Amino acid sequence: MQLAMVGLGRMGKGISTRLLRKGYQLVAYNRSSQKADKLAEEEGANPARSLKEAVEMLDVPRIVWMMLPSGQVVAEHIEALLPLLEPGDILIDGGNSHYADDIRQAESADKKGVYYLDIGVSGGVWGLTEGFCMMIGGPRPAFEQIKPWLQTLAPENGYLYCGPTGAGHFVKMIHNGIEYGLLQALAEGFSLLRHSPFAEDLDFSQVCKTWNHGSVIRSWLLELAEKTFEESPGLEEFRAWVEDSGEGRWTAQQALESSVPAPVLSLALMERFRSREENSFSNRFIAALRHQFGGHEVKKKELSYKIEYPMLLEV
């Protein structure tokens, strides 16, 4: 049984490499062919120059696994792939797509008799060596058919059939929302340590190591934090800019739609937005109003013109 991997970014390449190293045959396709050629040279993949060629290189039933950016890119590839596939083939979206997109895409696949699976994948760059955690949604027969691949990719107990179409990406979405909250809690805790009277005496990497032996917050994230602090005790080379993949937003939206309170996860998302404003307008607004009602001290940015009113600070 063969598989074609469409999209050789960090995750696509990692999944492909793990499968190839375990002895599986894999067809590799990427819009820029250099990545497929490199995977062929280094790991023995069969490179394809087009989606059509990738599909033609597969045995029946064909399995095509997409690892692509969510949204329009996925939709365009599905539109191009479905005419190339036949009833009984399996099409997998392993990226971070929204579960509602899966339901729509699966309808198109069903009309062609093609099985559509949505697989939420976690593991990052460590998945290659440690294994990938996978959450699967879609037709159960297709899930059963690809089980050998999943068992190869995942650590023990590291994959789960979650239910019908969309379930895999929904569970992954909530997983990522939780991740936002965990990262924010760790960030705030270490910030408190850094600004404490004991900061000069504390080795943060050792704090992480200690907490990871017997404490209730021991985790892989703390292991990574320990490694980070060993390499950069003060994190001086990092800019305070935190991106979001989109799934944190979807989790917050789901909380609103479901009327389920999720204040920690939602606030963690808001903090990521805050990180991108080096001189936030909202904070300048608060400082200006505190000056107006209480005469509190403000730190004004030097401007080339005279400031007549506090609210006329440069924005």
Side-chain angles (χ1 to χ4, degrees):
M1 187 165 60
Q2 296 173 308
L3 176 147
M5 181 62 67
V6 175
L8 299 174
R10 287 192 302 271
M11 294 292 280
K13 182 182 178 182
I15 291 172
S16 299
T17 302
R18 186 171 174 89
L19 289 171
L20 288 164
R21 291 180 181 177
K22 296 292 184 177
Y24 285 84
Q25 293 184 356
L26 185 135
V27 176
Y29 170 78
N30 196 75
R31 186 166 53 183
S32 56
S33 59
Q34 295 91 335
K35 290 185 176 181
D37 292 338
K38 187 174 181 181
L39 191 64
E41 180 183 344
E42 295 179 350
E43 304 294 344
N46 297 314
R49 288 289 180 268
S50 67
L51 291 175
K52 184 174 185 295
E53 184 179 352
V55 171
E56 290 175 346
M57 293 171 71
L58 295 173
D59 297 331
V60 177
R62 305 168 186 86
I63 303 172
V64 179
W65 187 319
M66 301 179 296
M67 288 300 293
L68 301 166
S70 64
Q72 188 61 31
V73 174
V74 170
E76 290 173 354
H77 278 74
I78 291 176
E79 186 178 354
L81 281 164
L82 283 179
L84 305 173
L85 299 175
E86 298 178 355
D89 291 343
I90 298 174
L91 181 59
I92 300 169
D93 180 3
N96 285 331
S97 292
H98 193 274
Y99 75 95
D101 292 342
D102 293 320
I103 295 171
R104 184 175 62 257
Q105 309 287 18
E107 290 177 356
S108 299
D110 287 342
K111 292 177 182 177
K112 189 71 187 290
V114 173
Y115 291 120
Y116 180 94
L117 292 174
D118 52 281
I119 301 183
V121 183
S122 182
V125 296
W126 292 89
L128 174 59
T129 55
E130 304 300 319
F132 295 91
C133 176
M134 292 172 291
M135 296 136 269
I136 303 97
R140 183 115 200 182
F143 161 73
E144 296 292 344
Q145 192 169 330
I146 68 165
K147 247 187 188 179
W149 301 83
L150 301 177
Q151 291 168 343
T152 299
L153 287 170
E156 187 176 2
N157 298 319
Y159 70 94
L160 176 69
Y161 177 72
C162 299
T165 300
H169 278 148
F170 188 89
V171 174
K172 175 59 163 45
M173 177 183 77
I174 302 305
H175 163 282
N176 278 29
I178 293 170
E179 173 199 311
Y180 279 42
L182 292 173
L183 289 174
Q184 186 64 30
L186 287 171
E188 292 177 11
F190 278 100
S191 183
L192 285 168
L193 290 176
R194 182 174 175 81
H195 293 89
S196 75
F198 312 104
E200 292 186 2
D201 298 307
L202 287 173
D203 181 332
F204 288 176
S205 67
Q206 291 302 308
V207 171
C208 294
K209 177 178 284 187
T210 301
W211 284 350
N212 250 346
H213 287 78
S215 89
V216 296
I217 63 169
R218 59 186 181 272
S219 65
W220 185 50
L221 288 176
L222 270 178
E223 289 181 24
L224 296 179
E226 178 186 345
K227 183 175 185 293
T228 299
F229 284 128
E230 286 175 352
E231 295 173 352
S232 178
L235 309 180
E236 291 87 356
E237 68 269 37
F238 294 95
R239 184 183 174 195
W241 174 287
V242 187
E243 193 54 83
D244 68 283
S245 64
E247 292 191 298
R249 302 184 189 211
W250 299 338
T251 302
Q253 290 168 357
Q254 187 65 38
L256 292 172
E257 293 173 10
S258 305
S259 299
V260 172
V264 172
L265 307 189
S266 300
L267 286 173
L269 173 64
M270 298 302 113
E271 285 297 325
R272 294 202 176 191
F273 297 158
R274 189 201 301 273
S275 77
R276 301 166 203 169
E277 296 187 41
E278 294 183 358
N279 188 20
S280 141
F281 175 79
S282 60
N283 287 340
R284 298 203 306 274
F285 176 84
I286 293 170
L289 281 191
R290 290 183 76 248
H291 177 68
Q292 287 282 11
F293 68 69
H296 299 288
E297 180 182 357
V298 292
K299 297 181 179 180
K300 296 181 181 179
K301 187 175 180 181
E302 293 184 6
L303 304 176
S304 59
Y305 55 85
K306 182 180 179 182
I307 299 177
E308 298 291 348
Y309 302 98
M311 285 302 292
L312 292 183
L313 293 174
E314 180 187 358
V315 299

